[in-house]
C-alpha cells in the first residue's frame, strides 16, 4: 500500500495538473470571447463570408504552399520530360511506319507494272 506521503505527493501533483488545465481552459475561453467580439462588428452576411484563422495556421499553410510550388514544378518537369521523350519515340515510330507504307506503295506499283507487262506480253502472244 502507498504511504501517506506518497498519496499526498500524488494528490498535490493532480491538483497542480488540474490547476494548469483550468488555466488553459480559461485562456481558451477568453480567446473565444475575443473572437466573438471581433466578429460582432460584422453583419450576418459578412460573417458568412469571413473566416477567422489563427496566424500560426496561416503561416503553416503559406509555407506548405511555397513547398508545393517548389516541388510541383520539379515533378511536372520530370513528367513533361518523360512525356516529351515518349512523344519523340512515337514520332520516330510513326515516321518509320510512314516510310514502310511508302515503300510498300512503290513495291505494289512496280508489281502492278510487271503484271501489266506480263498481261500485255500474254495478249500479244495470244494474237500471234
Amino acid at each position: 500500500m502507498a504511504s501517506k506521503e506518497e498519496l499526498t505527493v500524488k494528490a498535490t501533483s493532480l491538483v497542480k495538473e488540474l490547476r494548469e488545465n483550468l488555466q488553459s481552459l480559461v485562456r481558451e475561453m477568453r480567446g473565444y470571447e475575443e473572437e466573438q467580439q471581433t466578429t460582432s462588428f460584422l453583419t450576418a452576411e459578412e460573417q458568412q463570408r469571413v473566416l477567422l484563422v489563427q496566424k500560426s495556421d496561416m503561416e503553416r499553410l503559406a509555407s506548405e504552399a511555397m513547398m508545393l510550388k517548389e516541388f510541383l514544378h520539379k515533378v511536372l518537369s520530370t513528367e513533361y520530360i518523360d512525356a516529351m521523350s515518349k512523344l519523340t519515340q512515337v514520332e520516330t515510330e510513326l515516321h518509320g511506319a510512314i516510310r514502310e507504307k511508302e515503300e510498300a506503295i512503290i513495291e505494289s506499283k512496280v508489281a502492278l507494272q510487271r503484271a501489266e507487262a506480263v498481261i500485255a506480253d500474254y495478249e500479244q502472244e495470244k494474237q500471234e
Side-chain angles (χ1 to χ4, degrees):
M1 261 192 150
S3 69
K4 240 182 178 183
E5 290 177 11
E6 291 174 347
L7 289 174
T8 305
V9 169
K10 283 185 180 180
T12 306
S13 68
L14 287 174
V15 168
K16 285 181 183 177
E17 186 178 339
L18 182 64
R19 184 179 295 139
E20 290 171 1
N21 289 341
L22 181 60
Q23 289 172 348
S24 174
L25 284 172
V26 168
R27 281 192 301 269
E28 286 181 27
M29 188 63 166
R30 286 183 183 149
Y32 177 73
E33 289 171 352
E34 288 175 10
E35 279 183 27
Q36 290 300 316
Q37 289 174 355
T38 57
T39 58
S40 65
F41 65 90
L42 299 173
T43 65
E45 183 181 316
E46 291 173 333
Q47 286 180 3
Q48 290 291 327
R49 292 184 292 138
V50 173
L51 173 68
L52 293 177
V53 179
Q54 291 184 354
K55 186 176 181 178
S56 60
D57 291 339
M58 283 303 296
E59 290 171 349
R60 189 178 78 240
L61 285 172
S63 66
E64 288 176 5
M66 292 301 290
M67 288 190 307
L68 280 174
K69 283 182 181 179
E70 288 178 24
F71 292 118
L72 188 61
H73 82 86
K74 291 178 183 176
V75 170
L76 289 179
S77 293
T78 56
E79 288 179 3
Y80 176 76
I81 290 170
D82 291 343
M84 289 304 293
S85 66
K86 288 179 184 177
L87 178 63
T88 304
Q89 182 181 7
V90 168
E91 284 178 338
T92 304
E93 291 174 6
L94 178 64
H95 289 301
I98 290 171
R99 250 184 275 120
E100 289 176 9
K101 177 186 166 192
E102 289 172 351
E103 289 173 3
I105 289 172
I106 291 171
E107 288 176 9
S108 67
K109 285 181 181 179
V110 169
L112 182 62
Q113 288 173 352
R114 285 184 190 159
E116 288 173 352
V118 168
I119 291 172
D121 286 345
Y122 172 74
E123 288 191 12
Q124 210 174 31
E125 285 179 14
K126 190 176 169 185
Q127 287 179 355
E128 291 175 0

